[in-house]
Each structure stands twice: as structure tokens, then as C-alpha cells.
Amino acid sequence: MHTLCARGTMKPEINAAVGFLSRFLRVKGHVNDRQVQTFSQSLQDILSEQYKHHWFPDRPCKGSGYRCIRINHKMDPLVGQAGQRIGLTIQQLYLLLPSELTLWVDPFEVSYRIGEDGSICVLYESQPMPAVMPGTAVAGSPSGSGGSGSPMVDSHISCKEELMVLGRASPSKAYNMMTVSS
């Protein structure tokens, strides 16, 4: 049921994530406009295909870990695949992209964090559409949750907010952040 509907609704989120990553390639100046365009289109296609069965607008945090783009001591395989399509090696991608990046691509919100202790910044945010079928997404605990009355019962809490509620193990550090305007 969700696949076709969800695939159409994930486009703005994927565009925000891809635009954010593509700007890093453009800013460093080692990638020409055609390569950036090919990278962007490839990554959009890869993410759309990857996320199509893992997109749940009625429960935005469900599948968040699966949709998380992560660059640290390992290059995210989806970003690496898009980079290879324009002739960039993993080592070249490491030079062009932040060495520590977490990018959450969730229904209604795309956010990122540079560094393990960096602030979480929102790239894209929208409001969920009202439910079409009244009475289908209401109270009660999500299946398999144990029903302990946790904040996860609110299906509109963002994954970023959930991480903030859990707190962080070490204090924040100041990082230069790239701002994105649309």
C-alpha cells in the first residue's frame, strides 16, 4: 500500500539530501558541473530505489537507521556508488565530503550532523498531510513496542528530536556549518 504513495512523497526529502551532498562536490571545485549533475541524478535514483520499501510517512522514525547516510571511517556505500559513476574513487570522495557526516533522510524532515558531537541541523522540514482515512493512525502503541507509554507513541516526533531526547554522551563542539537555502 505505501510503496507507490510513499515513493512519490519522498522526492523533496531525497532532493534536499542530494542537493546538500552535491554542494560539497561543487564547493571544492574539483568536480565540473556535468559531473555534479550526473552525481546528483545517480544518487537520487539510488536513494529512491533503496528507500522505496523503507518509507513510512505515518511513522517517520521507522526505518530511520536504514535511511541514514553515514560517512566516518567508512564511506556510505550509496554515496560511494554515485561517486564511482562520475569517476571518483572513495579516497577522492573523502577529500570532497566531511570526514564525519550523518545525514538523516526521514519523511517530512532531512537533518544532518557534522562530527560525532556536532549540532543537528535541519535541511528540509514539512508538515504531514492529514490522514485520508480517519481512525487508522490513532492511539495505541505501535506493534511490538511493549506499550510502555514512551515518547515514540507520538508518530510525529522527528528522529532528530528523538536523538535530542536521548541526549549525547559528550559536550557539543563548535563546527562551521553549511547553510542550505531553497
Side-chain angles (χ1 to χ4, degrees):
M1 172 182 130
H2 278 139
T3 307
L4 293 176
C5 174
R7 186 170 168 88
T9 62
M10 73 174 104
K11 188 169 181 163
E13 290 89 343
I14 288 176
N15 285 343
V18 169
F20 178 71
L21 291 172
S22 296
R23 282 183 191 90
F24 282 107
L25 302 184
R26 183 171 280 128
V27 166
K28 296 284 184 164
H30 301 293
V31 181
N32 66 44
D33 287 343
R34 184 172 169 225
Q35 287 176 302
V36 171
Q37 189 174 21
T38 302
F39 174 85
S40 296
Q41 187 59 57
S42 295
L43 191 55
Q44 284 176 356
D45 295 344
I46 290 166
L47 294 178
S48 293
E49 183 62 28
Q50 187 78 7
Y51 297 169
K52 73 180 179 183
H53 297 295
H54 300 274
W55 196 259
F56 308 97
D58 56 332
R59 294 178 60 203
C61 286
K62 182 178 179 182
S64 183
Y66 183 84
R67 295 184 308 270
C68 179
I69 295 171
R70 184 82 174 104
I71 299 170
N72 53 13
H73 60 280
K74 287 181 70 178
M75 177 59 60
D76 185 274
L78 304 177
V79 174
Q81 190 179 349
Q84 288 174 338
R85 289 186 183 175
I86 62 167
L88 292 176
T89 65
I90 298 299
Q91 291 75 24
Q92 289 171 313
L93 282 171
Y94 274 123
L95 294 174
L96 296 169
L97 298 169
S99 58
E100 286 282 341
L101 173 69
T102 306
L103 183 60
W104 293 276
V105 183
D106 296 314
F108 316 113
E109 183 176 290
V110 178
S111 51
Y112 71 95
R113 179 180 65 200
I114 295 177
E116 279 301 312
D117 297 316
S119 298
I120 296 172
C121 301
V122 176
L123 289 172
Y124 170 86
E125 193 170 31
S126 69
Q127 294 299 314
M129 299 294 263
V132 175
M133 296 185 300
T136 57
V138 216
S141 64
S143 60
S145 73
S148 63
S150 71
M152 290 305 298
V153 172
D154 180 5
S155 66
H156 291 59
I157 187 171
S158 75
C159 300
K160 171 194 64 142
E161 288 169 338
E162 181 183 332
L163 184 64
M164 292 169 124
V165 168
L166 295 174
R168 71 176 84 220
S170 55
S172 262
K173 296 178 184 172
Y175 290 93
N176 291 329
M177 297 292 170
M178 174 185 281
T179 57
V180 179
S181 61
S182 46

